[in-house]
Amino acid sequence: QVQLVESGGGLVQAGGSLRLSCAASGSGFSIYRMAWFRQAPGNQRELVARILSDARTNYADSVKGRFAISRDNTKNTVYLRMNSLKPEDTAVYYCNAYDPNGPHDFWGQGTQVTVSN
């Protein structure tokens, strides 16, 4: 069973930056498709960024140019660098791992990001 442990959330002023980290257990990290999702109160969970096993990336239009997802397979860790943060970025951010040999889809516990005016 894959376990995902997130860190790096917090409160930041608009225009500031944060870096989220997600450390994964297990032996299959290098083939997982990793992603960050977020969920604000009253809203459904939405995809923020995804990184494939070959390091190709996809971003939501709302964060493109401001956020960057990366992975370090030697550390079993995925990162989300968030720059130029806006109040509308406020949400609980969740790390996600998809095993293409599954069917398995794993989630972290979530970390709160709050952006103030």
Side-chain angles (χ1 to χ4, degrees), residues 54-114:
D54 63 1
R56 288 179 293 165
T57 58
N58 292 283
Y59 297 93
D61 287 343
S62 59
V63 307
K64 192 173 297 182
R66 299 189 296 120
F67 291 11
I69 189 171
S70 61
R71 66 191 296 159
D72 186 343
N73 290 344
T74 70
K75 298 179 179 179
N76 276 22
T77 300
V78 64
Y79 305 95
L80 184 68
R81 177 68 177 179
M82 303 182 293
N83 294 325
S84 301
L85 282 162
K86 305 174 180 179
E88 50 263 47
D89 295 319
T90 295
V92 177
Y93 284 70
Y94 296 92
C95 183
N96 169 261
Y98 174 73
D99 182 353
N101 296 321
H104 295 294
D105 198 15
F106 304 98
W107 295 91
Q109 77 285 353
T111 184
Q112 177 71 46
V113 172
T114 302

Side-chain angles (χ1 to χ4, degrees), residues 7 19 38 66 83:
S7 61
R19 189 182 74 161
R38 67 186 181 188
R66 299 189 296 120
N83 294 325

